């Protein structure tokens, strides 16, 4: 059986880090005093300031060589106000007191301009004051402290290893690291300083058929809220086993190229976490963002079928389905100590025993819908991807829980007479209500009488959200649980990009519709 190559779930403790001294040296106190006092003098009911610095670095490889390298830093600040029940927002890049005063005045002026258009006065859910709070994500080695030559040698070496293998004609490699620093303060007295680090590395092998056509296969290592140790420390440190995965890919790719094309129909599916995370993201994560459910987010990727009137009654899936929103998951891409509204983060249920019981919220939506929600506090889902953007409601780490003492992947496969085992994510499609969808994968294995008998090609699984999750018969135990995710979740206009993780175990679904993508494409 093709393993998922997860890191050891029993992750060793990592050394604590301090917030970067260069960021701490920025004049956050002076900017805060100037901006918030100006806003108070202009009669706001709420004001906050966010000072932010983003450091980003990326490497791209083609075959055995470095194709590009980029490094960048974005820094600036933003002021957001509520004046006469209306939002105002402005941002700047000059970190001076004069600019802070100007930006605060501009934010209030924007609120006054927007006031005649506002039919719903802004009220924010209460939040305890968090004064002088600091938070740093859990990582080992700061990737920005590593010599770029060492990074090029490590990632390039992995590309060269894969490129040298038989049956591999081309290799594309990509590595990216981000350090995100934020300072937040508001007129209630909260001020927080935070730092989080994340990395992603993906390698894709291509096999060209001399008779025409090609096949690809990509690594299934997830992006993580970790540092450079993800690339070098290995599974003993809870990190990825790159060498073992690269050893597998050439033979798996050759097998895929010769595999039979799937016969469409109904199959049982055993879905690996490396694939299921994306289905969770699209059909549960986005669908339970309350701004979508309320119709506020419609132009970019649609609204949601899971409307607020269905809270507590919608049968989202089978009783085996419990999904949490979690802004505290270790190494999660959406993990943070405090959100961009000063809310201390936590974990809560979104789907419990198959029933919709919660949403992802910011402070305004929590206050506006407190009666229907049965809660009067935000769960910390406000986020802006840069100092020039206003915070909007963004996704937490939305994860399907494993079954305590539950089965292994092999045990789930053994329960299937005729089915398919799905590994790795690839393409997807979902409608504007987050309801009708289809997903493909990196590789598919035919299951006969509880055994894997070889790969299949041209597979996509298709369902509605509630039918698919309703067909969930069993989830694996904690030993099958892996935290997947993406760096590039898009939302909003102007568009914003956020990183988010989704943990899940291997899962068994019964009687799912399978399409043949080649036939569907008219080939």
């Amino acid at each position: 059986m093709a393993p998922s190559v997860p890191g050891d779930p029993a992750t060793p403790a990592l050394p604590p880090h301090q917030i970067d001294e260069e960021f701490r040296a920025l004049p956050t106190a002076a900017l805060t005093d100037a901006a918030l006092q100006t806003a108070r003098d202009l009669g706001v009911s709420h004001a906050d300031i966010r000072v932010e610095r983003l450091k980003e670095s990326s490497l791209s490889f083609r075959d055995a060589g470095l194709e590009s390298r980029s490094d960048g830093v974005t820094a600036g600040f933003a002021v957001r106000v509520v004046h006469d029940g209306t939002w105002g927002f402005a941002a700047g890049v000059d970190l001076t007191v004069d600019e802070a005063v100007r930006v605060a005045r501009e934010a209030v002026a924007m609120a006054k301009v927007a006031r005649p258009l506002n039919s719903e006065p802004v009220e924010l859910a209460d939040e305890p004051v968090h004064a002088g709070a600091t938070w740093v994500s859990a990582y080992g080695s700061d990737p920005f402290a590593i010599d770029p030559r060492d990074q090029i040698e490590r990632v390039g070496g992995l590309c060269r290893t894969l490129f040298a293998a038989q049956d591999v004609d081309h290799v594309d490699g990509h590595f990216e690291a981000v350090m995100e620093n934020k300072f937040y303060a508001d007129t209630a007295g909260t001020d927080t300083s935070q730092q989080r680090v994340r990395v992603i590395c993906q390698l894709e092998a291509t096999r060209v058929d001399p008779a025409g056509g090609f096949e690809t296969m990509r690594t299934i290592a997830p992006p993580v809220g970790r540092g450079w140790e993800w690339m070098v420390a290995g599974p003993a440190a809870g990190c990825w086993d790159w060498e073992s995965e690269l050893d597998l890919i050439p033979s798996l790719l050759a097998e895929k190229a010769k595999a039979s094309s799937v016969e469409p129909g109904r199959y049982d599916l055993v879905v690996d976490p490396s694939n299921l995370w994306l289905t969770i993201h699209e059909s549960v994560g986005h669908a339970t963002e309350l701004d979508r459910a309320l119709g506020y987010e419609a132009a970019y990727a649609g609204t949601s079928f899971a409307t607020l009137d269905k809270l507590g009654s919608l049968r989202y899936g089978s009783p085996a389905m419990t999904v949490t929103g979690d802004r505290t998951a270790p190494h999660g891409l959406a993990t943070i100590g405090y959100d961009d509204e000063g809310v201390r983060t936590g974990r809560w249920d979104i789907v419990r025993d198959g029933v919709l019981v919660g949403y992802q919220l910011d402070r305004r939506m929590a206050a506006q819908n407190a009666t229907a929600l049965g809660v009067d506090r935000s769960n910390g889902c406000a986020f802006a991807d840069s100092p020039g953007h206003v915070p909007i409601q963004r996704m937490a780490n939305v994860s399907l829980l494993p079954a305590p003492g539950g089965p292994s992947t092999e045990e789930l496969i053994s329960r299937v007479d005729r089915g398919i085992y799905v590994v790795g994510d690839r393409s997807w499609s979902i409608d504007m209500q987050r309801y009708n969808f289809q997903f493909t994968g990196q590789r598919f294995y035919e299951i006969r009488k509880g055994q894997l008998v070889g790969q299949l090609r041209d597979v996509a699984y298709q369902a509605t959200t509630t039918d698919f999750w309703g067909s969930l018969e069993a989830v694996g135990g904690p030993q099958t649980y892996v935290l997947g995710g993406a760096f590039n979740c898009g939302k909003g206009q102007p568009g914003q990009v956020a990183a988010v993780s989704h943990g899940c175990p291997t899962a068994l679904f019964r009687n799912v519709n399978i399409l043949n993508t080649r036939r569907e494409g008219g080939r």
Side-chain angles (χ1 to χ4, degrees):
M1 183 162 94
S4 297
V5 203
D8 185 347
T11 303
L14 294 173
H17 289 269
Q18 302 298 316
I19 292 176
D20 183 74
E21 286 299 325
E22 289 184 5
F23 182 75
R24 292 177 69 90
L26 297 179
T28 53
L31 296 173
T32 297
D33 290 344
L36 297 189
Q37 188 57 53
T38 298
R40 288 189 190 97
D41 293 344
L42 293 171
V44 303
S45 58
H46 169 88
D48 58 60
I49 182 171
R50 179 170 37 90
V51 183
E52 184 169 352
R53 185 194 67 176
L54 282 166
K55 295 172 66 175
E56 300 175 273
S57 176
S58 68
L59 303 170
S60 292
F61 296 82
R62 175 65 172 168
D63 293 338
L66 178 67
E67 189 171 56
S68 66
R69 173 191 166 198
S70 66
D71 298 276
V73 178
T74 300
F77 73 99
V79 176
R80 189 180 65 156
V81 303
V82 179
H83 184 275
D84 195 15
T86 304
W87 285 121
F89 176 83
V93 296
D94 188 6
L95 303 181
T96 65
V97 167
D98 287 346
E99 181 70 351
V101 171
R102 185 196 68 79
V103 169
R105 288 174 175 166
E106 184 176 333
V108 173
M110 291 295 294
K112 290 180 178 179
V113 169
R115 178 64 186 90
L117 304 176
N118 182 20
S119 61
E120 298 179 327
V122 173
E123 296 182 9
L124 302 181
D126 290 338
E127 175 67 18
V129 171
H130 308 290
T134 61
W135 182 90
V136 179
S137 65
Y139 61 94
S141 301
D142 177 0
F144 295 92
I146 303 299
D147 190 322
R149 292 171 294 185
D150 293 338
Q151 294 184 342
I152 291 169
E153 177 58 30
R154 173 57 173 162
V155 182
L158 295 175
C159 291
R160 289 191 294 272
T161 296
L162 191 55
F163 186 54
Q166 188 176 1
D167 295 309
V168 173
D169 296 299
H170 296 289
V171 173
D172 292 289
H174 177 76
F175 172 79
E176 184 176 353
V178 177
M179 176 182 282
E180 178 185 295
N181 287 104
K182 289 190 180 186
F183 171 85
Y184 170 93
D186 61 31
T187 47
T190 285
D191 67 279
T192 64
S193 297
Q194 301 185 90
Q195 176 170 297
R196 59 175 173 166
V197 169
R198 54 187 178 268
V199 296
I200 182 173
C201 184
Q202 293 182 328
L203 286 76
E204 184 171 68
T206 300
R207 181 183 187 275
V208 179
D209 188 336
F214 63 92
E215 284 292 347
T216 64
M217 189 167 292
R218 192 179 68 239
T219 52
I220 59 173
V224 289
R226 284 182 174 271
W228 180 244
E229 73 277 4
W230 185 243
M231 300 303 303
V232 296
C239 296
W240 201 255
D241 189 345
W242 294 98
E243 282 73 16
S244 292
E245 183 169 24
L246 295 189
D247 282 348
L248 291 169
I249 284 179
S251 60
L252 292 173
L253 180 58
E255 181 187 357
K256 179 181 179 181
K258 300 173 184 178
S260 300
S261 189
V262 71
E263 187 63 33
R266 313 291 295 195
Y267 292 79
D268 295 339
L269 297 186
V270 177
V271 186
D272 189 81
S274 58
N275 180 274
L276 190 57
W277 76 263
L278 183 56
T279 308
I280 294 169
H281 177 88
E282 299 293 347
S283 68
V284 185
H286 277 308
T288 59
E289 295 173 313
L290 188 54
D291 57 349
R292 292 188 190 277
L294 295 172
Y296 293 159
E297 174 72 15
Y300 194 112
T303 57
S304 173
F305 77 97
T307 51
L308 188 55
D309 59 301
K310 298 174 183 174
L311 183 66
S313 62
L314 174 64
R315 172 55 69 178
Y316 215 106
S318 77
M321 181 190 190
T322 292
V323 174
T324 61
D326 192 351
R327 295 278 268 165
T328 66
H331 308 301
L333 296 173
T335 296
I336 198 72
Y338 303 84
D339 79 347
D340 286 358
E341 294 183 323
V343 175
R344 187 171 182 173
T345 57
R347 169 176 160 170
W348 68 99
D349 288 348
I350 293 175
V351 176
R352 186 186 306 123
D353 301 328
V355 176
L356 176 67
V357 296
Y359 291 94
Q360 302 163 77
L361 315 168
D362 61 18
R363 289 178 68 178
R364 185 190 182 185
M365 286 188 291
Q368 189 179 39
N369 302 281
T371 301
L373 292 168
V375 298
D376 58 2
R377 181 176 176 264
S378 167
N379 46 36
C381 289
F383 174 78
D385 70 352
S386 76
H389 282 156
V390 67
I392 59 176
Q393 187 271 300
R394 294 311 310 262
M395 202 181 298
N397 303 304
V398 175
S399 299
L400 176 70
L401 298 189
S408 66
T409 299
E410 292 79 4
E411 288 173 305
L412 290 172
I413 290 170
S414 73
R415 299 180 188 182
V416 175
D417 187 60
R418 176 178 181 266
I420 299 173
Y421 175 46
V422 186
V423 177
D425 68 276
R426 196 171 184 183
S427 66
W428 72 95
S429 176
I430 194 164
D431 71 9
M432 300 294 279
Q433 288 277 293
R434 301 281 151 184
Y435 193 63
N436 296 281
F437 66 68
Q438 64 185 45
F439 288 82
T440 63
Q442 288 295 315
R443 51 190 186 263
F444 303 88
Y445 298 86
E446 184 179 3
I447 305 171
R448 292 183 198 162
K449 300 187 183 305
Q451 299 290 324
L452 301 184
V453 296
Q455 289 192 53
L456 294 168
R457 298 171 65 184
D458 311 321
V459 179
Y461 59 90
Q462 179 191 54
T464 68
T465 293
T466 51
D467 283 349
F468 179 75
W469 291 107
S471 74
L472 175 64
E473 180 177 288
V475 294
Q479 73 276 20
T480 73
Y481 187 90
V482 178
L483 198 65
F487 260 39
N488 59 343
C489 175
K491 187 178 178 181
Q493 289 185 323
Q496 297 193 35
V497 176
V500 60
S501 292
H502 304 284
C504 55
T506 307
L508 170 60
F509 300 82
R510 296 293 190 184
N511 196 34
V512 178
N513 190 42
I514 296 297
L515 303 177
N516 183 299
T517 57
R518 184 172 294 272
R519 296 184 198 177
E520 292 291 326
R523 292 174 290 166

